[in-house]
Amino acid sequence: MISKAGLQAQFLASSRFLQLWLIATLLKSLGFGLSGIQASFTLAVYEWRPGDLQSYTWPCDIVSLGSLSVLGPLASRQKAQTVIMCTSL
């Protein structure tokens, strides 16, 4: 008889989607942790008030969203080699 943990390990080993999802969740968690450290560091070094960092980063997020909305469909029409060459410049 296989234990519950053994069944879960077998399922994890057989599911490619679950493996990728767990890796993505791990990387996302690591990214959020660094964001908190960066926020504290920025407040201390530049003597900013709480909320100043967010007010500077929101416009960057809007520009990122806009560029993905415009450049994403444009890049999907190009060959992969062309897109990779342009992004490596």
Side-chain angles (χ1 to χ4, degrees), residues 32-66:
F32 284 142
L34 293 176
S35 177
I37 294 170
Q38 178 190 12
S40 300
F41 177 78
T42 304
L43 289 172
V45 171
Y46 295 115
E47 298 178 1
W48 287 356
R49 298 179 317 246
D52 286 347
L53 179 64
Q54 287 78 8
S55 67
Y56 286 111
T57 56
W58 272 103
C60 294
D61 292 341
I62 293 171
V63 169
S64 297
L65 178 64

Side-chain angles (χ1 to χ4, degrees), residues 3-82:
S3 68
K4 188 175 181 179
L7 287 174
Q8 291 172 346
Q10 282 181 342
F11 182 66
L12 175 61
S14 67
S15 175
R16 182 75 175 148
F17 171 77
L18 185 57
Q19 294 168 358
L20 292 174
W21 183 78
L22 288 173
I23 290 171
T25 304
L26 171 70
L27 293 174
K28 183 174 72 170
S29 298
L30 291 173
F32 284 142
L34 293 176
S35 177
I37 294 170
Q38 178 190 12
S40 300
F41 177 78
T42 304
L43 289 172
V45 171
Y46 295 115
E47 298 178 1
W48 287 356
R49 298 179 317 246
D52 286 347
L53 179 64
Q54 287 78 8
S55 67
Y56 286 111
T57 56
W58 272 103
C60 294
D61 292 341
I62 293 171
V63 169
S64 297
L65 178 64
S67 67
L68 286 173
S69 300
V70 172
L71 296 177
L74 180 65
S76 68
R77 289 186 232 135
Q78 306 298 321
K79 292 180 181 178
Q81 185 179 14
T82 306

